[in-house]
Amino acid sequence: MLTSKQRAYLRGLANTTETILIIGKGEITDNIIMQADTALTARELIKAKLLESSAYSPREAAELIAEKCGADVVQVIGSKFVLYRRNPDEPKIVLPKVKKQ
């Protein structure tokens, strides 16, 4: 679970990230899930776009893919969304620390 500070940090990183996953019409298939999973393992932070012909809303698609890949939804804006999953073996992104109360 991401804190608001970590989410804001990831949103900032996502501004310069290219969209690498495009979802068109039809269902979200195992192939799309596999592409997202592979990209999350390699990059940790991915940006996806939903075409207008898709049967899903951007929020629905983001939550479905995040659930299947074990990722967190960072943001959903318009037809684009950003997902994050830490790579346990080779982390590339260092998140701000969570303050203990």
Side-chain angles (χ1 to χ4, degrees):
M1 194 66 166
L2 296 171
T3 66
S4 61
K5 188 174 270 193
Q6 291 170 334
R7 198 174 301 279
Y9 176 74
L10 290 171
R11 279 196 307 265
L13 292 177
N15 282 338
T16 58
T17 304
E18 289 186 37
T19 303
I20 61 165
L21 185 65
I22 298 175
I23 302 166
K25 64 182 178 180
E27 297 291 315
I28 293 179
T29 62
D30 290 339
N31 189 29
I32 292 172
I33 301 296
M34 185 180 70
Q35 288 176 357
D37 189 55
T38 303
L40 283 165
T41 300
R43 300 172 181 234
E44 295 185 328
L45 188 71
I46 64 168
K47 189 185 288 186
K49 179 178 182 174
L50 209 67
L51 299 179
E52 288 182 23
S53 59
S54 177
Y56 297 92
S57 74
R59 174 66 64 184
E60 290 172 336
E63 289 177 356
L64 178 66
I65 294 171
E67 180 183 326
K68 300 242 183 201
C69 293
D72 288 305
V73 178
V74 175
Q75 74 177 356
V76 179
I77 294 180
S79 64
K80 293 185 180 183
F81 59 90
V82 178
L83 301 177
Y84 169 77
R85 183 181 71 198
R86 184 177 181 274
N87 184 336
D89 300 328
E90 299 174 23
K92 293 172 178 40
I93 299 172
V94 179
L95 294 176
K97 299 286 184 208
V98 177
K99 292 183 180 177
K100 304 251 178 177
Q101 294 184 6

